[in-house]
Every structure is written in structure tokens, then in C-alpha cells.
Amino acid sequence: MTDGGGVGPSIDLELFHDMVFDLRFDRPAPGSNLEGRFQRAGNIPIALDAPFGETGPMLFRFGDMLSLLFDWTTVQSGMRISDPDHLLFDYTRMMMGFRLFRPAPRKIEMIGLGGGSLAKACYRCLPQCDITVVEIDPAVIDLREQFHIPPDDDRFRVICADGLDYILSAPGAPDILILDGFDSRGLPPALSERSFYDSCRDRLGRNGLLVANLCDNAMAFTTLERRIGASFENRTIVVPAENGGNRVVFASIDPAFPPARQTVRGHLPDTDVVDYDAKARRIVRALARASLEVPGTEH
């Protein structure tokens, strides 16, 4: 099967990113008629809306795709309108690869809501799991219905709070801590410091697993990976996304992490959301690269 599955018309993600890039220069007024503006788009419906003003998050409709844009430059999330639970971007499917290490977590915390792709996937695939999503921007939370994010219930909630404050002060300890918090300038400084990753480690404890999305330039990747590694005793796995624009980091101070390559297996259900066999193969390749980079190391 194709990794990620899903139904509905195909989406040309390269063309989509081209359109977003051009919007940075055009900056059309929300509600403008964009039909015919981009010749390569042909008859694909295109629309732009800024429900909270031009300084807030914007909604960009590109055919069967609804995306959340920040400040004309940053694609925060994307959703297939005909299949809202489909994980459109590879990095989100790779982040769900945490199930290869912790297949049935009891408690998940997420920093950053965006369009809610990961929140919806966890809610759907893990019906016994308690999920808390922390989002600092109330305007992003106000878009939850448009992105088909489920309402709060006894096992799922979205709270408006600063992610750093939450990590430092909220009670409890999750099995999985997912970091996907970005603003219009990228990863906020408060969520990229060594002290923040130390706090994440302390919150998770020995058996918890960190799953971090990194999206920046090559120099930032190196710095952030080093900081996460220092906080988690270098017990990390770094997997590039297929398009190279993101990297996903898995980290834990569990002495059994990272696992031996031969023990990483797929064979999980819900392959309509993620092809876990494909993700397992990429994680094994990442472990192999890491062992080559550190002479004498074998995971």
C-alpha cells in the first residue's frame, strides 16, 4: 500500500508549496479571487481566508487540501478535505512511528495544535489513551472545527497555555510527549533551549518517549539534535522526512532505547493512517547510519 493511505483526489504537494511561495510575494487580500492566478494550477480551486485578520493564522484552500498558514511564510498544517483523518505530510506519519516503541501509551501530551493532524490520528488510533494538547494561540484553537478536530471529552482536551509553562508546572507524567510547536518565525526560542529539553526529560521520567518535529535549516538541525541528545544521554533516533524539510527525533533515557535494529518491527494495525512497516524500515536505516557515525557502536 502507499504510505499514509487515504482516499480522495491526489494532491500535488510540490505545486502546493509553489503556490504558497508565490503568495509570499503577492500577498493577496483574503477573499480575493485567485482562480487563474497560477497558470500551473489549471482548474484547481484556490482560495485564501484570514478569519482573524491578516496578522493571525490564515486558511489556504488548494483543491482538496485545506492548510493553515502563518504570516504568509509558514505552512503549519494541511488536511485533505475529503478525508480529514488522512496524514498528508510524511513527517506527521513518521511522528506516529512512536508506536513502534510504545504501541499502547496510556497518556500523551502534545505541545502545539496546528491543524490537529497528529491529535486526530492519536485520538482515532488509540481509543484507550488520554490526550492533552497545549496550544498558545487561541486563534488556532478557534479553527478546530474547520480542521475536524474532535471536541473535548473525558479523554481528549485542547488547552490554551504556554507549552514551556505547562511542561514545568502541570501535574502528571505522560508516556509520550510530542513537540510540534511553531509560530510564524519557526521554532520559538523557549522551545529550543537545552533547559527546555532537560525539563521534557524530567517530565517524561525513565520510560517516557519524546517525539520532536524539527523544521529549520541545516545549522539549526545540528544544534537542536545536539541539545536533545545532551538532555537524553544521546539515546536518540533522528529520521529525516521524505522531502528533507523536517526531521523527527525520538528520545528517551530508557536504558533499552534505542532498541537493537533487528527488534524494530511494524505489524501494527491502522495501516490506513500509517504504514508502520515502511516507517520501521526507515528507522532501521537511521539506526544503521548512527552506528556508522560512532565507531564501535552497534544498536
Short mmCIF file of all heavy atoms in Angstrom, two decimals, residues 50-100:
data_model
loop_
_atom_site.label_atom_id
_atom_site.label_comp_id
_atom_site.label_asym_id
_atom_site.label_seq_id
_atom_site.Cartn_x
_atom_site.Cartn_y
_atom_site.Cartn_z
N ALA A 50 -8.62 34.81 5.87
CA ALA A 50 -7.95 35.17 7.12
C ALA A 50 -9.03 35.54 8.13
O ALA A 50 -9.34 36.72 8.33
CB ALA A 50 -6.99 36.34 6.91
N PRO A 51 -9.61 34.55 8.78
CA PRO A 51 -10.77 34.82 9.64
C PRO A 51 -10.46 35.67 10.85
O PRO A 51 -11.38 36.25 11.45
CB PRO A 51 -11.23 33.41 10.06
CG PRO A 51 -10.03 32.55 9.88
CD PRO A 51 -9.28 33.12 8.73
N PHE A 52 -9.20 35.78 11.24
CA PHE A 52 -8.85 36.57 12.43
C PHE A 52 -7.96 37.76 12.09
O PHE A 52 -7.21 38.24 12.92
CB PHE A 52 -8.16 35.67 13.47
CG PHE A 52 -8.99 34.47 13.82
CD1 PHE A 52 -8.62 33.21 13.38
CD2 PHE A 52 -10.14 34.59 14.57
CE1 PHE A 52 -9.39 32.09 13.69
CE2 PHE A 52 -10.91 33.48 14.88
CZ PHE A 52 -10.53 32.23 14.44
N GLY A 53 -8.01 38.21 10.83
CA GLY A 53 -7.19 39.35 10.44
C GLY A 53 -5.86 38.90 9.85
O GLY A 53 -5.42 37.77 10.02
N GLU A 54 -5.21 39.81 9.16
CA GLU A 54 -4.00 39.46 8.41
C GLU A 54 -2.82 39.16 9.31
O GLU A 54 -1.80 38.64 8.84
CB GLU A 54 -3.66 40.56 7.42
CG GLU A 54 -4.71 40.71 6.33
CD GLU A 54 -4.27 41.63 5.21
OE1 GLU A 54 -3.06 41.90 5.12
OE2 GLU A 54 -5.13 42.07 4.44
N THR A 55 -2.89 39.49 10.58
CA THR A 55 -1.77 39.17 11.48
C THR A 55 -1.96 37.81 12.15
O THR A 55 -1.08 37.35 12.87
CB THR A 55 -1.61 40.25 12.56
OG1 THR A 55 -2.83 40.33 13.32
CG2 THR A 55 -1.30 41.59 11.94
N GLY A 56 -3.11 37.21 11.92
CA GLY A 56 -3.38 35.92 12.54
C GLY A 56 -3.20 34.78 11.56
O GLY A 56 -2.73 34.98 10.43
N PRO A 57 -3.56 33.56 11.94
CA PRO A 57 -3.45 32.42 11.03
C PRO A 57 -4.41 32.57 9.86
O PRO A 57 -5.49 33.15 9.99
CB PRO A 57 -3.82 31.24 11.92
CG PRO A 57 -4.66 31.81 13.01
CD PRO A 57 -4.12 33.18 13.25
N MET A 58 -3.98 32.06 8.71
CA MET A 58 -4.79 32.13 7.50
C MET A 58 -5.10 30.73 7.00
O MET A 58 -4.33 29.79 7.25
CB MET A 58 -4.04 32.92 6.41
CG MET A 58 -3.89 34.39 6.74
SD MET A 58 -2.97 35.31 5.48
CE MET A 58 -1.31 34.72 5.80
N LEU A 59 -6.20 30.60 6.31
CA LEU A 59 -6.62 29.34 5.71
C LEU A 59 -6.42 29.42 4.21
O LEU A 59 -6.93 30.34 3.55
CB LEU A 59 -8.08 29.05 6.03
CG LEU A 59 -8.42 28.86 7.52
CD1 LEU A 59 -9.93 28.76 7.70
CD2 LEU A 59 -7.73 27.62 8.06
N PHE A 60 -5.69 28.47 3.65
CA PHE A 60 -5.43 28.42 2.22
C PHE A 60 -6.05 27.15 1.66
O PHE A 60 -5.67 26.04 2.06
CB PHE A 60 -3.92 28.45 1.97
CG PHE A 60 -3.54 28.45 0.51
CD1 PHE A 60 -4.14 29.34 -0.37
CD2 PHE A 60 -2.57 27.58 0.03
CE1 PHE A 60 -3.78 29.35 -1.72
CE2 PHE A 60 -2.21 27.59 -1.31
CZ PHE A 60 -2.82 28.48 -2.19
N ARG A 61 -7.01 27.32 0.78
CA ARG A 61 -7.69 26.18 0.15
C ARG A 61 -7.04 25.93 -1.21
O ARG A 61 -7.00 26.82 -2.07
CB ARG A 61 -9.18 26.47 -0.02
CG ARG A 61 -9.92 25.52 -0.94
CD ARG A 61 -10.17 24.17 -0.30
NE ARG A 61 -10.83 23.26 -1.23
CZ ARG A 61 -12.16 23.12 -1.35
NH1 ARG A 61 -12.97 23.85 -0.59
NH2 ARG A 61 -12.66 22.27 -2.22
N PHE A 62 -6.53 24.72 -1.41
CA PHE A 62 -5.90 24.34 -2.66
C PHE A 62 -6.49 23.01 -3.10
O PHE A 62 -6.08 21.96 -2.63
CB PHE A 62 -4.38 24.23 -2.47
CG PHE A 62 -3.62 23.76 -3.68
CD1 PHE A 62 -3.49 24.59 -4.79
CD2 PHE A 62 -3.05 22.51 -3.72
CE1 PHE A 62 -2.80 24.17 -5.91
CE2 PHE A 62 -2.36 22.07 -4.85
CZ PHE A 62 -2.23 22.91 -5.94
N GLY A 63 -7.51 23.08 -3.93
CA GLY A 63 -8.19 21.86 -4.35
C GLY A 63 -8.80 21.15 -3.16
O GLY A 63 -9.60 21.72 -2.41
N ASP A 64 -8.39 19.90 -2.95
CA ASP A 64 -8.93 19.09 -1.85
C ASP A 64 -8.13 19.29 -0.56
O ASP A 64 -8.30 18.54 0.38
CB ASP A 64 -8.89 17.60 -2.26
CG ASP A 64 -9.67 16.72 -1.29
OD1 ASP A 64 -10.75 17.15 -0.83
OD2 ASP A 64 -9.17 15.62 -0.97
N MET A 65 -7.29 20.30 -0.51
CA MET A 65 -6.42 20.50 0.66
C MET A 65 -6.76 21.83 1.34
O MET A 65 -6.92 22.86 0.69
CB MET A 65 -4.96 20.51 0.21
CG MET A 65 -3.96 20.74 1.32
SD MET A 65 -2.27 20.64 0.66
CE MET A 65 -1.34 21.01 2.14
N LEU A 66 -6.88 21.77 2.66
CA LEU A 66 -7.02 22.97 3.48
C LEU A 66 -5.78 23.06 4.36
O LEU A 66 -5.45 22.12 5.09
CB LEU A 66 -8.27 22.90 4.35
CG LEU A 66 -8.53 24.11 5.26
CD1 LEU A 66 -8.86 25.34 4.42
CD2 LEU A 66 -9.64 23.82 6.26
N SER A 67 -5.09 24.20 4.28
CA SER A 67 -3.86 24.34 5.07
C SER A 67 -3.93 25.57 5.95
O SER A 67 -4.66 26.53 5.68
CB SER A 67 -2.62 24.43 4.16
OG SER A 67 -2.70 25.57 3.32
N LEU A 68 -3.17 25.52 7.02
CA LEU A 68 -3.06 26.62 7.98
C LEU A 68 -1.74 27.32 7.73
O LEU A 68 -0.67 26.69 7.78
CB LEU A 68 -3.12 26.07 9.40
CG LEU A 68 -3.05 27.05 10.56
CD1 LEU A 68 -4.25 27.99 10.54
CD2 LEU A 68 -3.00 26.29 11.89
N LEU A 69 -1.81 28.62 7.43
CA LEU A 69 -0.61 29.40 7.14
C LEU A 69 -0.37 30.41 8.24
O LEU A 69 -1.31 31.00 8.77
CB LEU A 69 -0.74 30.14 5.81
CG LEU A 69 -1.06 29.34 4.54
CD1 LEU A 69 -1.07 30.26 3.33
CD2 LEU A 69 -0.06 28.22 4.34
N PHE A 70 0.91 30.64 8.55
CA PHE A 70 1.30 31.68 9.49
C PHE A 70 2.11 32.74 8.76
O PHE A 70 3.11 32.43 8.12
CB PHE A 70 2.17 31.11 10.61
CG PHE A 70 1.39 30.39 11.70
CD1 PHE A 70 2.06 29.71 12.69
CD2 PHE A 70 0.02 30.41 11.73
CE1 PHE A 70 1.37 29.05 13.69
CE2 PHE A 70 -0.69 29.77 12.73
CZ PHE A 70 -0.01 29.08 13.71
N ASP A 71 1.66 33.99 8.83
CA ASP A 71 2.48 35.12 8.39
C ASP A 71 2.98 34.97 6.95
O ASP A 71 4.10 35.34 6.63
CB ASP A 71 3.68 35.29 9.34
CG ASP A 71 4.37 36.63 9.16
OD1 ASP A 71 3.69 37.60 8.77
OD2 ASP A 71 5.59 36.70 9.39
N TRP A 72 2.16 34.41 6.08
CA TRP A 72 2.47 34.30 4.65
C TRP A 72 3.64 33.36 4.34
O TRP A 72 3.96 33.16 3.18
CB TRP A 72 2.78 35.66 4.04
CG TRP A 72 1.67 36.65 4.13
CD1 TRP A 72 1.53 37.65 5.06
CD2 TRP A 72 0.53 36.74 3.29
NE1 TRP A 72 0.39 38.34 4.83
CE2 TRP A 72 -0.25 37.82 3.75
CE3 TRP A 72 0.09 36.01 2.18
CZ2 TRP A 72 -1.43 38.19 3.14
CZ3 TRP A 72 -1.09 36.38 1.57
CH2 TRP A 72 -1.84 37.45 2.05
N THR A 73 4.32 32.83 5.31
CA THR A 73 5.55 32.12 5.03
C THR A 73 5.58 30.68 5.52
O THR A 73 6.31 29.87 4.98
CB THR A 73 6.75 32.84 5.66
OG1 THR A 73 6.58 32.91 7.08
CG2 THR A 73 6.89 34.25 5.12
N THR A 74 4.81 30.36 6.54
CA THR A 74 4.95 29.06 7.20
C THR A 74 3.69 28.24 7.04
O THR A 74 2.60 28.66 7.42
CB THR A 74 5.24 29.26 8.70
OG1 THR A 74 6.36 30.11 8.86
CG2 THR A 74 5.52 27.92 9.37
N VAL A 75 3.85 27.04 6.45
CA VAL A 75 2.74 26.09 6.38
C VAL A 75 2.72 25.32 7.69
O VAL A 75 3.59 24.51 7.98
CB VAL A 75 2.92 25.11 5.20
CG1 VAL A 75 1.77 24.11 5.17
CG2 VAL A 75 3.01 25.86 3.88
N GLN A 76 1.72 25.59 8.49
CA GLN A 76 1.65 24.99 9.82
C GLN A 76 1.04 23.59 9.78
O GLN A 76 1.42 22.72 10.55
CB GLN A 76 0.83 25.88 10.75
CG GLN A 76 0.62 25.34 12.15
CD GLN A 76 1.91 25.26 12.93
OE1 GLN A 76 2.90 25.88 12.58
NE2 GLN A 76 1.92 24.46 14.00
N SER A 77 0.10 23.37 8.86
CA SER A 77 -0.57 22.08 8.82
C SER A 77 -1.35 21.99 7.52
O SER A 77 -1.61 23.00 6.87
CB SER A 77 -1.51 21.93 10.02
OG SER A 77 -1.99 20.61 10.13
N GLY A 78 -1.70 20.76 7.15
CA GLY A 78 -2.51 20.56 5.95
C GLY A 78 -3.47 19.41 6.15
O GLY A 78 -3.15 18.43 6.83
N MET A 79 -4.66 19.51 5.56
CA MET A 79 -5.69 18.48 5.73
C MET A 79 -6.35 18.20 4.39
O MET A 79 -6.66 19.13 3.62
CB MET A 79 -6.76 18.95 6.72
CG MET A 79 -7.88 17.96 6.98
SD MET A 79 -9.22 18.67 7.98
CE MET A 79 -10.03 19.73 6.75
N ARG A 80 -6.56 16.92 4.09
CA ARG A 80 -7.35 16.53 2.93
C ARG A 80 -8.82 16.71 3.29
O ARG A 80 -9.32 16.05 4.21
CB ARG A 80 -7.05 15.09 2.55
CG ARG A 80 -7.67 14.66 1.23
CD ARG A 80 -7.59 13.16 1.05
NE ARG A 80 -6.23 12.67 0.89
CZ ARG A 80 -5.56 12.62 -0.26
NH1 ARG A 80 -6.14 13.07 -1.36
NH2 ARG A 80 -4.34 12.14 -0.32
N ILE A 81 -9.52 17.58 2.59
CA ILE A 81 -10.90 17.92 2.94
C ILE A 81 -11.81 16.70 2.82
O ILE A 81 -12.70 16.48 3.66
CB ILE A 81 -11.40 19.08 2.06
CG1 ILE A 81 -10.56 20.34 2.35
CG2 ILE A 81 -12.89 19.36 2.30
CD1 ILE A 81 -10.81 21.48 1.37
N SER A 82 -11.59 15.88 1.80
CA SER A 82 -12.44 14.70 1.60
C SER A 82 -12.12 13.58 2.56
O SER A 82 -12.89 12.61 2.67
CB SER A 82 -12.28 14.20 0.16
OG SER A 82 -10.94 13.77 -0.08
N ASP A 83 -11.00 13.65 3.27
CA ASP A 83 -10.59 12.61 4.22
C ASP A 83 -9.82 13.28 5.35
O ASP A 83 -8.58 13.23 5.40
CB ASP A 83 -9.72 11.57 3.49
CG ASP A 83 -9.36 10.39 4.38
OD1 ASP A 83 -9.92 10.29 5.50
OD2 ASP A 83 -8.51 9.57 3.98
N PRO A 84 -10.51 13.94 6.30
CA PRO A 84 -9.85 14.78 7.30
C PRO A 84 -8.86 14.04 8.20
O PRO A 84 -7.97 14.67 8.78
CB PRO A 84 -11.01 15.34 8.11
CG PRO A 84 -12.19 15.26 7.21
CD PRO A 84 -11.98 14.03 6.40
N ASP A 85 -8.99 12.72 8.33
CA ASP A 85 -8.09 11.97 9.21
C ASP A 85 -6.81 11.52 8.50
O ASP A 85 -5.91 10.99 9.14
CB ASP A 85 -8.81 10.74 9.77
CG ASP A 85 -9.85 11.11 10.81
OD1 ASP A 85 -9.73 12.19 11.42
OD2 ASP A 85 -10.80 10.32 11.00
N HIS A 86 -6.74 11.70 7.20
CA HIS A 86 -5.56 11.31 6.45
C HIS A 86 -4.36 12.17 6.88
O HIS A 86 -4.48 13.39 7.03
CB HIS A 86 -5.82 11.51 4.95
CG HIS A 86 -4.62 11.31 4.08
ND1 HIS A 86 -4.08 10.08 3.85
CD2 HIS A 86 -3.86 12.20 3.39
CE1 HIS A 86 -3.04 10.21 3.04
NE2 HIS A 86 -2.89 11.49 2.75
N LEU A 87 -3.22 11.53 7.09
CA LEU A 87 -1.98 12.27 7.41
C LEU A 87 -1.30 12.63 6.11
O LEU A 87 -0.67 11.79 5.45
CB LEU A 87 -1.08 11.42 8.32
CG LEU A 87 -1.60 11.20 9.74
CD1 LEU A 87 -0.68 10.26 10.51
CD2 LEU A 87 -1.73 12.53 10.49
N LEU A 88 -1.40 13.90 5.75
CA LEU A 88 -0.99 14.34 4.42
C LEU A 88 0.53 14.43 4.28
O LEU A 88 1.09 14.11 3.23
CB LEU A 88 -1.63 15.70 4.13
CG LEU A 88 -1.56 16.24 2.71
CD1 LEU A 88 -2.26 15.29 1.74
CD2 LEU A 88 -2.21 17.62 2.65
N PHE A 89 1.21 14.88 5.33
CA PHE A 89 2.65 15.11 5.25
C PHE A 89 3.42 13.95 5.87
O PHE A 89 3.04 13.39 6.90
CB PHE A 89 3.03 16.42 5.96
CG PHE A 89 2.43 17.63 5.33
CD1 PHE A 89 1.65 18.51 6.07
CD2 PHE A 89 2.63 17.91 3.98
CE1 PHE A 89 1.10 19.64 5.49
CE2 PHE A 89 2.09 19.04 3.39
CZ PHE A 89 1.31 19.91 4.14
N ASP A 90 4.55 13.63 5.25
CA ASP A 90 5.34 12.48 5.70
C ASP A 90 5.82 12.65 7.14
O ASP A 90 5.86 11.68 7.90
CB ASP A 90 6.55 12.29 4.78
CG ASP A 90 7.48 11.21 5.28
OD1 ASP A 90 7.10 10.03 5.26
OD2 ASP A 90 8.60 11.55 5.74
N TYR A 91 6.20 13.86 7.54
CA TYR A 91 6.75 13.99 8.89
C TYR A 91 5.72 13.64 9.96
O TYR A 91 6.07 13.13 11.02
CB TYR A 91 7.32 15.40 9.12
CG TYR A 91 6.31 16.46 9.46
CD1 TYR A 91 5.95 16.71 10.79
CD2 TYR A 91 5.72 17.24 8.46
CE1 TYR A 91 5.01 17.68 11.10
CE2 TYR A 91 4.79 18.21 8.77
CZ TYR A 91 4.44 18.43 10.08
OH TYR A 91 3.51 19.39 10.39
N THR A 92 4.43 13.89 9.68
CA THR A 92 3.40 13.52 10.66
C THR A 92 3.27 12.00 10.75
O THR A 92 3.07 11.44 11.84
CB THR A 92 2.04 14.15 10.32
OG1 THR A 92 1.62 13.72 9.02
CG2 THR A 92 2.12 15.66 10.35
N ARG A 93 3.37 11.33 9.61
CA ARG A 93 3.31 9.87 9.64
C ARG A 93 4.52 9.28 10.36
O ARG A 93 4.40 8.31 11.10
CB ARG A 93 3.21 9.33 8.21
CG ARG A 93 1.97 9.81 7.45
CD ARG A 93 1.73 9.03 6.18
NE ARG A 93 2.74 9.24 5.16
CZ ARG A 93 2.69 10.19 4.23
NH1 ARG A 93 1.68 11.05 4.21
NH2 ARG A 93 3.63 10.27 3.31
N MET A 94 5.69 9.91 10.16
CA MET A 94 6.87 9.43 10.87
C MET A 94 6.75 9.67 12.36
O MET A 94 7.16 8.84 13.19
CB MET A 94 8.13 10.11 10.32
CG MET A 94 9.42 9.68 11.05
SD MET A 94 9.64 7.88 11.15
CE MET A 94 10.06 7.50 9.45
N MET A 95 6.17 10.79 12.78
CA MET A 95 6.00 11.04 14.21
C MET A 95 5.10 9.99 14.85
O MET A 95 5.31 9.60 16.00
CB MET A 95 5.46 12.45 14.44
CG MET A 95 6.45 13.55 14.07
SD MET A 95 5.84 15.22 14.35
CE MET A 95 6.11 15.40 16.12
N MET A 96 4.11 9.50 14.09
CA MET A 96 3.27 8.42 14.61
C MET A 96 4.06 7.12 14.78
O MET A 96 3.58 6.18 15.41
CB MET A 96 2.07 8.19 13.70
CG MET A 96 0.99 9.26 13.79
SD MET A 96 0.22 9.35 15.44
CE MET A 96 -0.61 7.76 15.52
N GLY A 97 5.27 7.08 14.25
CA GLY A 97 6.13 5.93 14.43
C GLY A 97 6.51 5.66 15.88
O GLY A 97 7.13 4.63 16.17
N PHE A 98 6.13 6.56 16.79
CA PHE A 98 6.37 6.28 18.21
C PHE A 98 5.73 4.95 18.62
O PHE A 98 6.17 4.30 19.58
CB PHE A 98 5.87 7.42 19.10
CG PHE A 98 4.38 7.57 19.21
CD1 PHE A 98 3.63 6.72 20.02
CD2 PHE A 98 3.71 8.59 18.53
CE1 PHE A 98 2.25 6.86 20.13
CE2 PHE A 98 2.34 8.74 18.63
CZ PHE A 98 1.61 7.87 19.43
N ARG A 99 4.70 4.53 17.88
CA ARG A 99 4.01 3.28 18.24
C ARG A 99 4.89 2.05 18.01
O ARG A 99 4.60 0.98 18.53
CB ARG A 99 2.70 3.16 17.46
CG ARG A 99 1.70 4.26 17.80
CD ARG A 99 0.34 3.95 17.25
NE ARG A 99 -0.24 2.78 17.90
CZ ARG A 99 -1.25 2.07 17.38
NH1 ARG A 99 -1.76 2.41 16.20
NH2 ARG A 99 -1.74 1.05 18.02
N LEU A 100 5.95 2.21 17.24
CA LEU A 100 6.89 1.10 17.07
C LEU A 100 7.67 0.85 18.36
O LEU A 100 8.20 -0.25 18.57
CB LEU A 100 7.85 1.39 15.92
CG LEU A 100 7.19 1.47 14.54
CD1 LEU A 100 8.14 2.11 13.55
CD2 LEU A 100 6.78 0.08 14.07
#
